[in-house]
Structure formats: C-alpha cells, structure tokens
Amino acid sequence: MRKKNYKGRCEKKSVPKCNEIFKAYDAIQNAYVDVLSSRNDIVEIRCNVPLENMDYTSDFLCIKTSGEMLVRECLYRKLITKPMTIKLLEESRQYWLRRGVTDWGLIINEE
C-alpha cells in the first residue's frame, strides 16, 4: 500500500496482462509482477489500484480465469510490525473483503 498521489521514483514497463503501463514503486512490486504474469490462472493484472474513500492504493488486483479477484499488498519485512502498517493492511483487507475478495495476501521481501 502507498499513498494515492505517491511521487517517488518508479520503474515503468509493459506487462502483457496489464492494460496500462506497469509502474513499480519498489523492487518487491517489480519482481512480483513477473510472478503474476507467469501464472496461467491470471488473465488481468491491475497495479496501484485506488481504494475508494481512502488515501491509499493496493499494490495488485488480479482477475483470475474463474472471474474471482486476487489482491496482494507488497511490503518490506522491517515494516511489518509497525502499528501504522498493521492498521493500513487491515483496512485494505477489510475493504476488499467487503467487495467479496477472499484471496487477499501479503508479499514480503526476503532478508
């Protein structure tokens, strides 16, 4: 998750299952989009998806061949115990749960 109008450095690239130019704001996003692209059960990848009525975005929203949605949030291990990070991740999980998404998860970097 990150702020909606985040202005940090980003790497742009074309991703076959993404309808727009993919913008990676960190190494985790950049690496994980390749994992998602290689999955046969995923037909569409949306990146940095704005959350309605919130000032944040979710890192990945994917549409599976079954029509189900998958949401992934990327974060660095050093941030996982920070109270604000925990609060924001829970808000994201609840947001997507209210929209029927049960396949919600975290992608955490290796140390």
Side-chain angles (χ1 to χ4, degrees), residues 33-51:
V33 77
D34 295 332
V35 172
L36 292 171
S37 292
S38 68
R39 287 181 50 171
N40 293 330
D41 66 328
I42 294 186
V43 294
E44 182 181 350
I45 302 169
R46 298 179 194 164
C47 309
N48 305 305
V49 178
L51 304 178

Side-chain angles (χ1 to χ4, degrees), residues 1 11 17 29 36 38-39 53 57 71 83 89 95 97 105:
M1 288 185 75
E11 183 176 328
K17 295 180 182 180
Q29 274 187 320
L36 292 171
S38 68
R39 287 181 50 171
N53 301 319
T57 63
V71 173
L89 290 172
Y95 175 90
L97 195 56

Side-chain angles (χ1 to χ4, degrees), residues 1-41:
M1 288 185 75
R2 66 194 78 252
K3 285 275 201 189
K4 273 186 183 174
N5 296 318
Y6 182 75
K7 300 291 184 202
R9 181 181 174 276
C10 79
E11 183 176 328
K12 298 176 185 176
K13 67 181 180 180
S14 180
V15 175
K17 295 180 182 180
C18 192
N19 294 331
E20 300 175 349
I21 295 296
F22 170 71
K23 296 177 184 177
Y25 291 100
D26 59 41
I28 304 170
Q29 274 187 320
N30 199 19
Y32 194 64
V33 77
D34 295 332
V35 172
L36 292 171
S37 292
S38 68
R39 287 181 50 171
N40 293 330
D41 66 328

Side-chain angles (χ1 to χ4, degrees), residues 42-75:
I42 294 186
V43 294
E44 182 181 350
I45 302 169
R46 298 179 194 164
C47 309
N48 305 305
V49 178
L51 304 178
E52 293 174 23
N53 301 319
M54 294 176 67
D55 290 331
Y56 291 91
T57 63
S58 281
D59 292 315
F60 293 103
L61 169 63
C62 301
I63 309 299
K64 296 181 182 181
T65 53
S66 65
E68 292 179 82
M69 292 186 282
L70 166 146
V71 173
R72 294 294 182 265
E73 301 289 5
C74 302
L75 74 145

